[in-house]
Amino acid sequence: MATKKPAKKKPAKQTKAKATEKTATVFIMGKAHKVPADATIMGAIEYAGYQIKRGAGCREGFCGACATVYRLPGDYKIYTGLACTTLVEEGMWLSQLPAIPDQKPIYNLNKLEPNVSTFQKLFPELFRCVACNTCTKACPQDLEVMDYIQAAIRGDIEKVMDLSFDCLSCGLCAIRCPAEIVQYNVGLLAKRLYGKYLSKESKQLKKRIKEVKRHKYDKEYKEFKKMKKEELKKKYYERDLE
Amino acid sequence: MYPESMRPSLEKVIQTRNKRFELAKSGKPVFPPMSAEEREEVLNEFHPDYKPDSRRKIRLGPNKGENLTTEVTDMLESHSRIKPELFDLTRPDYETDILIIGGGGAGCAAAIIAMENGAKSIISTKLRLGDANSMMSQGGMQAAVPEKDSPACHYLDAIGGGHFDNKPDLVRALTEDGPDVVKWLEDLGVVWDKLEDGSLQVLHGGGTSRKRMHSCRDYTGAIIMRTLMDKVRNNPDKISILEFMPIVELILDNKGRCAGGVLYNLETEEYFTVKARATIIATGGYGRLHIRGYDTTNHYGATGDGLVIAYRAGAKLLFMDSVQYHPTGSVFPEQIAGFLITEKIRGAGGQPLNKQGKLFVFPREPRDVESSAFIKECLERHNGIKTPSGRLGVWLDSPLIEMIQGEGYINKQFPAMHRQFIRYGIDITKEPMLVYPSLHYQNGGVEINEKCETNIPGLYVAGEASGGVHGRNRLMGNSVLDYNVFGRRAGIYAAQHTKSAKLGTLTLEHIRNFENELKKARVKTDLITPILLPSYTPEDVRKRQVTAHYEGTLR
Ligand SMILES: Cc1cc2nc3c(=O)[nH]c(=O)nc-3n(C[C@H](O)[C@H](O)[C@H](O)COP(=O)(O)OP(=O)(O)OC[C@H]3O[C@@H](n4cnc5c(N)ncnc54)[C@H](O)[C@@H]3O)c2cc1C
Ligand code: SF4
Ligand code: SF4
Ligand code: FES
């Protein structure tokens, strides 16, 4: 695959991959395209000639920009996945979701308390959860989404933090939820509450910050700065390793 | 699942594992670290930067006559997207205190701190807020917190890793602010990995003499980035976010001060002008230039735009002759070629092995050295492992981690990595990964001082777009720290600047001047920059894209 103007891909030193010969037919927003059978959905969309604007961010499964819904032949189910990490299948009918309508309460973390009433106030719709587990089934990260929503309802912030830790805010759970809950924002608030209020304090961190403020390291810094490159080099290669 | 052809080598990895485990447990170095001379030798012979055609002299602008990475020179010797005469700068479309270009970590940190210092800002960003390299860091952030460590130790590690080229004041700022950044982020709600007693969990990284890598499992960047974004979004009256609206040029005033920028709406193809008393470039790196044809770990929008717009406005670049290749990009399966495998894997005891299942390098050399050693092992010693599609790589033995750190460690500490591979039937708790260097980080950038100031008054730069902090080679964990330290500093000093800054008449004259310089230097190019997005359209599709008269998307 070539890159735009300046970055005409020169052959790398190591041998490049040969294009696979096997192809699959996929329907991108309804239009049929032949694409490499082992392509990711994102690779297939680009192979077909689309220049993605919305629908790609990190391209490695971290940002959640590439939420995709699809169906497979002879199967009544709607599937959800990340375009950057899901492989195409023969006959797949797919569409990316360019954006997910978001709803996020505005808050000041400094004024919140880490308890259930905070969730009651900011996410009253949480209590509409019917425990249908659709969110969990939709999650491309295989998170226990329903369980973290239930934990939020109980005010178990640590549990919400733990279960939602790897959430990408891709929005696929929210778009499928019959109770119209925006799960990822619930998870995010729980993580922030946990980090700020519930996680145990590090004494050493406080101590070190004080030491820096009291200019404990000034002298060493000044000495380093005065050193000639050779001197600094010597010091570097002689330093002891933990 | 690994194919049959790779099995014999996998067997060797298993055969050598117990012995390697015994040695690792003994606490002795598992392989002798290189001396200064050995490092130099392997770099000279095998680092992609040291190939004869890897650099090219730039013919115009503030760095005229200097050798820069060839692809960077190509990108800088190019035309603007705009015609200056089409813009009425007396009536800007937006006005604000600070224009922040780039909604990654540095941009968001700057906006938050600027707000706390009384300045309002607009964040212009190319994709969505947080679609950025900052979202992707897995391994962690260095900060000299532990008792056994000190900011001075951290300083020495960073400057040695950077081959002693780093600007000392910047390294001091980086290392001295470190502990406070850990605290600042925790107060914003970042969930650091901790031990039972509340002390922060720390690991080694490449080139560290002390354990000081702080992490949030292997979603460090995602946790920090989303926390910063949430804080930004909770203050809509102080920080406006313009998504899919990249800046394509800076605006100056008649005294040469930075006065804002020109926005481009990626979707409607309209242009807008922003007037601001201070401007912060936080556009990140350039992995999507695919330098020397390498795969990259970077996000979709990493096209080095900040370098272009700053250069045209007259800002000086530093260390743009050095490129960071991350030693452990994945090479198998094909679909995830180039994806990052965090250095934390080696920090936790993972070992790089050749075809014979043998260690051939100390696992935690600085990145450029480690990468060069991998390339040497594959290309010179022919000890690499070949994939069915013809790529070469070396093993990264992850099952060893479970032996050293205890069972379950990988699932707890590396959920992202585990997920990445299990999709393809490879369980990294039981089988190693195959790796090869991948284009990772822009070591240099726009030259700054410890206040993030550039040689253009009113123009600040922070994060990966800046140059000087890391010399010619950044250590793992120092760029997450970098975008926090210098994002915050840019926020403070830009906010202070807005209190007294006055602007004259706004102008895009520098764009015209640059165009003239191109002519004078006899540069012949069709290239228009900033590049904004790479294109992965295959050649045969492109051949059919032959619209004769382009009228834009709206007609
Ligand atoms: C996969 C990966 C893993 C990493 N792991 C680690 C790690 O473990 N530890 C570590 O220390 N470092 C790590 N790094 C490096 C580190 O994450 C980055 O260097 C750092 O996050 C850069 O932050 P930034 O804010 O400067 O840039 P970014 O976070 O990249 O943000 C730049 C933003 O600017 C936007 N932008 C670009 N051009 C324009 C334009 N013209 N107009 C408007 N906006 C624009 C981009 O879209 C993006 O949103 C990793 C990097 C990658 C890619
Ligand atoms: S919890 Fe929801 S938003 Fe988060 S990754 Fe899963 S589906 Fe996506
Ligand atoms: S989809 Fe909605 S209603 Fe169903 S379990 Fe999940 S949160 Fe509850
Ligand atoms: S593009 Fe970021 S998760 Fe797919």
Side-chain angles (χ1 to χ4, degrees):
Chain A
M1 284 197 259
T3 327
K4 209 182 209 165
K5 299 139 198 173
K8 280 259 164 55
K9 266 205 182 179
K10 293 170 197 145
K13 271 288 154 283
Q14 72 152 305
T15 20
K16 270 285 156 192
K18 288 174 238 136
T20 38
E21 272 119 50
K22 263 177 73 191
T23 60
T25 300
V26 297
F27 299 86
I28 301 174
M29 294 176 282
K31 211 182 254 174
H33 290 278
K34 265 205 165 59
V35 301
D38 59 359
T40 58
I41 291 176
M42 188 172 286
I45 292 172
E46 291 178 331
Y47 183 88
Y50 294 84
Q51 171 79 46
I52 300 177
K53 282 185 184 168
R54 286 183 184 261
C58 67
R59 305 174 68 104
E60 289 188 17
F62 287 91
C63 75
C66 62
T68 303
V69 290
Y70 60 93
R71 288 190 192 268
L72 297 170
D75 187 342
Y76 66 90
K77 284 191 180 129
I78 282 198
Y79 292 92
T80 50
L82 299 173
C84 65
T85 56
T86 309
L87 298 180
V88 296
E89 289 176 57
E90 180 59 39
M92 182 186 253
W93 197 116
L94 65 96
S95 182
Q96 278 202 288
L97 303 175
I100 309 271
D102 189 28
Q103 201 184 31
K104 194 197 103 64
I106 300 289
Y107 47 79
N108 179 348
L109 195 74
N110 299 331
K111 297 201 175 128
L112 298 183
E113 280 175 34
N115 57 31
V116 71
S117 66
T118 294
F119 287 91
Q120 279 163 348
K121 244 181 275 154
L122 293 172
F123 297 99
E125 67 279 10
L126 262 181
F127 298 84
R128 299 180 56 210
C129 171
V130 295
C132 65
N133 210 32
T134 309
C135 48
T136 303
K137 279 190 250 162
C139 180
Q141 292 286 85
D142 298 326
L143 304 183
E144 298 297 337
V145 191
M146 179 179 82
D147 293 356
Y148 83 64
I149 292 302
Q150 290 295 329
I153 291 170
R154 297 193 306 272
D156 185 347
I157 293 172
E158 181 168 0
K159 182 114 193 176
V160 186
M161 178 279 292
D162 187 41
L163 292 180
S164 70
F165 204 87
D166 307 354
C167 166
L168 310 178
S169 306
C170 72
L172 283 166
C173 51
I175 213 83
R176 301 285 283 139
C177 173
E180 280 113 355
I181 294 166
V182 183
Q183 290 86 341
Y184 49 96
N185 284 337
V186 176
L188 181 56
L189 175 62
K191 275 172 274 193
R192 292 192 64 193
L193 287 170
Y194 184 87
K196 184 175 174 68
Y197 295 109
L198 302 176
S199 142
K200 219 171 182 177
E201 205 177 36
S202 156
K203 293 201 185 86
Q204 173 60 23
L205 177 60
K206 269 180 122 173
K207 183 164 157 250
R208 179 53 48 79
I209 292 172
K210 243 189 227 152
E211 288 169 344
V212 172
K213 281 212 178 103
R214 289 192 188 136
H215 306 285
K216 180 169 171 191
Y217 304 99
D218 278 19
K219 210 171 127 236
E220 262 176 293
Y221 276 126
K222 280 186 191 140
E223 276 167 19
F224 284 150
K225 202 178 161 178
K226 265 192 270 160
M227 280 182 196
K228 294 244 158 51
K229 199 165 167 175
E230 283 315 308
E231 241 179 303
L232 204 58
K233 236 181 187 172
K234 189 157 171 279
K235 193 139 180 98
Y236 173 77
Y237 282 101
E238 280 172 9
R239 78 208 198 288
D240 65 309
L241 306 179
E242 184 183 347
Chain B
M1 267 214 312
Y2 290 111
E4 272 315 305
S5 61
M6 292 159 81
R7 287 276 143 207
S9 176
L10 272 173
E11 286 303 318
K12 297 211 170 116
V13 172
I14 297 168
Q15 280 163 21
T16 58
R17 195 174 282 142
N18 272 332
K19 259 220 169 111
R20 287 184 286 110
F21 170 60
E22 293 302 325
L23 184 59
K25 225 177 44 180
S26 74
K28 284 184 228 139
V30 294
F31 200 89
M34 288 188 213
S35 66
E37 295 72 36
E38 286 168 324
R39 281 187 184 182
E40 215 150 289
E41 195 185 315
V42 72
L43 285 173
N44 273 326
E45 284 180 47
F46 292 97
H47 196 280
D49 276 356
Y50 295 73
K51 298 281 165 237
D53 60 343
S54 70
R55 293 174 181 148
R56 182 164 83 73
K57 211 170 255 170
I58 184 154
R59 289 170 282 181
L60 70 166
N63 292 65
K64 184 173 167 178
E66 238 180 79
N67 269 320
L68 311 181
T69 301
T70 304
E71 289 79 354
V72 171
T73 300
D74 290 347
M75 177 177 75
L76 294 174
E77 291 182 346
S78 65
H79 303 287
S80 174
R81 304 179 75 92
I82 59 165
K83 288 201 182 105
E85 58 273 20
L86 297 181
F87 291 84
D88 176 5
L89 297 171
T90 60
R91 268 177 297 172
D93 300 298
Y94 298 87
E95 269 197 74
T96 181
D97 295 332
I98 306 179
L99 168 63
I100 298 174
I101 312 175
C108 287
I112 293 166
I113 295 293
M115 164 180 85
E116 286 167 4
N117 284 272
K120 287 190 180 179
S121 60
I122 289 179
I123 300 180
S124 133
T125 198
K126 189 181 329 189
L127 302 164
R128 304 176 314 166
L129 191 71
D131 287 348
N133 282 354
S134 299
M135 189 60 93
M136 308 171 72
S137 58
Q138 305 160 16
M141 180 179 98
Q142 287 199 43
V145 176
E147 185 99 56
K148 280 192 225 161
D149 194 9
S150 83
C153 281
H154 189 181
Y155 179 99
L156 205 54
D157 285 348
I159 213 156
H163 305 296
F164 309 93
D165 291 330
N166 326 37
K167 283 176 79 168
D169 293 337
L170 297 181
V171 188
R172 175 166 181 175
L174 180 81
T175 54
E176 207 168 23
D177 285 7
D180 195 51
V181 163
V182 176
K183 177 86 171 67
W184 180 67
L185 289 174
E186 182 161 82
D187 286 343
L188 283 171
V190 165
V191 184
W192 292 116
D193 291 333
K194 287 191 170 179
L195 306 179
E196 286 289 313
D197 66 350
S199 56
L200 289 141
Q201 179 196 299
V202 282
L203 282 174
H204 266 306
T208 55
S209 65
R210 296 286 184 279
K211 291 184 183 166
R212 69 169 78 87
M213 198 67 60
H214 297 76
S215 54
C216 316
R217 304 185 189 169
D218 62 351
Y219 285 98
T220 308
I223 293 285
I224 298 177
M225 188 72 240
R226 290 209 170 84
T227 301
L228 295 175
M229 282 159 66
D230 197 42
K231 175 81 180 173
V232 164
R233 289 200 170 119
N234 279 331
N235 293 279
D237 49 337
K238 312 248 174 49
I239 308 170
S240 319
I241 308 163
L242 301 175
E243 296 184 323
F244 298 92
M245 296 269 269
I247 289 281
V248 295
E249 291 302 349
L250 294 177
I251 297 173
L252 300 179
D253 80 352
N254 54 337
K255 295 261 170 64
R257 294 173 289 212
C258 193
V262 177
L263 284 167
Y264 175 57
N265 184 327
L266 272 181
E267 287 159 323
T268 62
E269 304 195 359
E270 288 169 282
Y271 289 86
F272 299 93
T273 51
V274 189
K275 180 177 178 182
R277 272 172 295 160
T279 299
I280 301 172
I281 293 182
T283 49
Y286 63 14
R288 292 279 154 192
L289 298 183
H290 292 291
I291 291 164
R292 297 190 77 74
Y294 271 81
D295 291 314
T296 184
T297 60
N298 284 193
H299 83 112
Y300 190 37
T303 52
D305 302 356
L307 300 172
V308 177
I309 58 177
Y311 199 68
R312 278 194 197 130
K316 198 161 165 16
L317 309 182
L318 196 60
F319 304 137
M320 286 311 300
D321 57 354
S322 98
V323 183
Q324 179 163 91
Y325 297 87
H326 194 292
T328 56
S330 95
V331 268
F332 187 88
E334 193 62 29
Q335 294 89 342
I336 59 169
F339 284 27
L340 181 74
I341 291 159
T342 174
E343 193 164 308
K344 204 169 135 194
I345 293 270
R346 279 173 290 139
Q351 297 181 345
L353 309 173
N354 63 19
K355 194 159 74 180
Q356 273 81 43
K358 288 204 178 107
L359 253 170
F360 54 92
V361 61
F362 179 66
R364 293 186 291 103
E365 295 287 356
R367 282 187 175 162
D368 49 356
V369 176
E370 188 86 10
S371 286
S372 304
F374 286 15
I375 296 174
K376 178 175 182 181
E377 196 67 16
C378 289
L379 300 184
E380 189 195 60
R381 296 203 187 134
H382 304 292
N383 267 334
I385 298 94
K386 207 179 204 140
T387 72
S389 66
R391 289 172 190 270
L392 286 170
V394 297
W395 296 116
L396 181 58
D397 195 20
S398 44
L400 185 66
I401 297 174
E402 296 267 294
M403 295 168 76
I404 295 172
Q405 310 277 4
E407 220 169 291
Y409 188 84
I410 288 184
N411 264 317
K412 180 81 188 147
Q413 291 289 329
F414 301 106
M417 285 297 91
H418 190 257
R419 208 172 256 129
Q420 195 85 274
F421 282 87
I422 204 78
R423 286 191 179 106
Y424 301 100
I426 296 167
D427 180 349
I428 64 167
T429 64
K430 303 204 171 69
E431 288 187 308
M433 297 167 261
L434 197 68
V435 297
Y436 195 79
S438 180
L439 174 53
H440 188 56
Y441 187 76
Q442 176 184 305
N443 286 320
V446 183
E447 181 168 5
I448 55 166
N449 64 14
E450 70 282 4
K451 291 180 170 175
C452 298
E453 293 166 333
T454 64
N455 58 327
I456 301 176
L459 179 65
Y460 298 76
V461 183
E464 195 168 340
S466 75
V469 183
H470 310 287
R472 288 193 159 83
N473 178 53
R474 170 186 65 96
L475 296 186
M476 176 207 171
N478 273 351
S479 56
V480 170
L481 183 59
D482 172 345
Y483 79 66
N484 282 293
V485 166
F486 293 98
R488 298 197 314 169
R489 282 171 176 254
I492 296 173
Y493 295 112
Q496 281 178 8
H497 178 80
T498 60
K499 304 265 154 66
S500 60
K502 290 203 177 56
L503 289 176
T505 328
L506 270 49
T507 167
L508 286 166
E509 197 55 33
H510 57 286
I511 307 299
R512 251 178 241 125
N513 294 343
F514 197 84
E515 201 57 48
N516 287 337
E517 271 199 69
L518 282 172
K519 265 194 215 118
K520 257 194 266 164
R522 300 218 175 92
V523 174
K524 291 213 168 49
T525 177
D526 297 331
L527 182 63
I528 291 167
T529 61
I531 291 162
L532 301 179
L533 291 176
S535 160
Y536 296 113
T537 310
E539 214 42 58
D540 59 320
V541 173
R542 229 186 279 199
K543 273 192 202 140
R544 285 188 288 265
Q545 294 176 327
V546 291
T547 307
H549 302 284
Y550 180 65
E551 299 281 0
T553 50
L554 294 181
R555 273 176 271 166

